[in-house]
Amino acid sequence: LLPESIIDYRELTVGKTIGSGEFAEVYEGTYRKTRVAIKVLKESNSAALFLREADIMSSLKHPNLVQLLGVAQKPDNVIYLVTEFMAKGSLLHYLTTRGRSVILKTDLLGFAIDTCEGLSYLEQNHIVHRDVAASNVLIADDNTAKVSDFGLAKSAEQNECERIKCRTKWTAPEALESKKYTHKSDMWSYGILLWEIYSYGRCPYPRIPANEVLINLKQGHRMEPPDGCPVEIGEIMRQSWLNDPDKRPTFSSILDRLKQIRERLL
Ligand code: ADP
């Protein structure tokens, strides 16, 4: 961890709880007069994982990645991970609670572009996220979407898995079967994320139980793009779900295409 990422815990004020994840409790707080989010580990035995998340986050800086401000440790060894505050919560929450009449088509495309910007930056920096999903994208006050939750992220060379979540419906077949997590398996998950965005937060494969998804995929089954989804976005989904990882597009190429779609809409 970089020395500049160490925060004195006495400079932090911990406020009310705003969320709860698998491993951490998330609180609202203040650090040097700025509103922040403070993640506190539930069990100390995952401390190494937590610090690795902090380590990865501290080395990354992009307007579409949730920024780590620093890490604080209390005398009783409780670790605080301090990040920028994302006022509107997770993208999944945003999509499901606001509804179709409130969210504009330009908002949906904005979320798709923002997350692609963040993931394209990760691709350039050889970081595989491994957990791309609408629940791991957070929305700022000005509606900017930022990718978060680097708990599983790894540099592209490493490949073994330490933490398997119930992410079957988001995970590429080769990653499920052989733990081959790459930028191309992130691209598969990004296709699922696009489907979540354009279905306003529905659960993927609504009629298929998670443990039957892989067998369906192997038989060639794929989701249809949601109703009202632009044709070009549907085409990106289709390409992101190609069986051969090498045939799936890169994030930088998708970013160009999404920006072209936006140009045409303006
Ligand atoms: P875990 O990694 O343990 O699953 P998350 O990082 O997903 O935990 O956080 C759980 C929840 O806390 C999120 O869904 C969100 O509602 C809230 N949250 C997390 N980070 C922030 C943040 N920076 N700003 C605002 N809310 C946040």
Side-chain angles (χ1 to χ4, degrees):
L1 208 61
L2 300 168
E4 57 266 35
S5 315
I6 308 291
I7 282 179
D8 184 341
Y9 78 96
R10 288 165 299 187
E11 285 194 87
L12 280 175
T13 324
V14 184
K16 69 176 194 333
T17 166
I18 46 172
S20 184
E22 209 182 338
F23 295 98
E25 197 68 36
V26 185
Y27 299 87
E28 196 182 302
T30 316
Y31 173 63
R32 296 185 178 167
K33 292 184 180 141
T34 317
R35 218 168 158 203
V36 294
I38 302 171
K39 231 168 143 172
V40 185
L41 204 59
K42 281 177 182 164
E43 288 165 46
S44 55
N45 57 11
S46 337
L49 206 72
F50 203 55
L51 285 174
R52 211 201 49 207
E53 178 173 357
D55 200 30
I56 290 171
M57 282 181 93
S58 68
S59 67
L60 302 168
K61 202 171 169 61
H62 187 275
N64 298 108
L65 298 183
V66 173
Q67 186 62 48
L68 179 81
L69 301 173
V71 175
Q73 189 162 24
K74 283 204 304 176
D76 61 3
N77 286 337
V78 172
I79 300 170
Y80 291 153
L81 209 135
V82 185
T83 63
E84 64 177 308
F85 182 72
M86 301 293 287
K88 293 184 179 168
S90 82
L91 172 59
L92 184 62
H93 171 82
Y94 187 97
L95 293 167
T96 53
T97 55
R98 302 199 188 215
R100 294 168 190 248
S101 49
V102 186
I103 306 174
L104 305 173
K105 284 276 183 233
T106 51
D107 294 330
L108 297 181
L109 187 60
F111 297 146
I113 292 176
D114 286 351
T115 48
C116 193
E117 292 263 16
L119 292 166
S120 176
Y121 171 86
L122 289 185
E123 185 178 67
Q124 281 163 25
N125 285 281
H126 312 290
I127 297 284
V128 179
H129 187 283
R130 295 163 161 249
D131 206 3
V132 174
S135 57
N136 284 336
V137 173
L138 297 174
I139 308 297
D141 204 25
D142 67 355
N143 271 13
T144 306
K146 304 192 184 202
V147 177
S148 103
D149 220 338
F150 299 87
L152 284 174
K154 287 199 165 184
S155 67
E157 302 90 70
Q158 296 172 282
N159 237 325
E160 81 284 8
C161 189
E162 286 163 9
R163 174 182 156 197
I164 302 156
K165 289 212 285 187
C166 302
R167 280 277 176 232
T168 316
K169 290 185 170 187
W170 280 260
T171 310
E174 76 280 2
L176 284 174
E177 290 199 300
S178 339
K179 308 270 175 284
K180 283 187 188 127
Y181 289 90
T182 60
H183 299 301
K184 300 298 187 172
S185 60
D186 275 354
M187 178 47 68
W188 177 291
S189 310
Y190 179 73
I192 305 284
L193 166 63
L194 282 180
W195 190 93
E196 291 183 278
I197 292 174
Y198 281 90
S199 67
Y200 297 87
R202 287 187 78 191
C203 180
Y205 313 95
R207 280 172 290 277
I208 307 177
N211 62 351
E212 288 170 26
V213 168
L214 184 58
I215 183 82
N216 274 272
L217 293 174
K218 284 178 143 181
Q219 290 164 353
H221 174 85
R222 295 292 186 272
M223 286 191 285
E224 289 297 325
D227 288 342
C229 170
V231 179
E232 302 100 313
I233 302 277
E235 182 56 22
I236 295 173
M237 289 179 199
R238 199 186 62 74
Q239 291 174 4
S240 69
W241 300 332
L242 288 172
N243 235 341
D244 181 353
D246 296 332
K247 295 212 167 76
R248 294 174 208 153
T250 61
F251 283 101
S252 62
S253 72
I254 295 302
L255 188 57
D256 290 341
R257 280 160 66 182
L258 291 172
K259 285 178 174 172
Q260 281 166 22
I261 297 173
R262 183 168 59 188
E263 298 279 297
R264 257 178 282 133
L265 287 179
L266 288 176

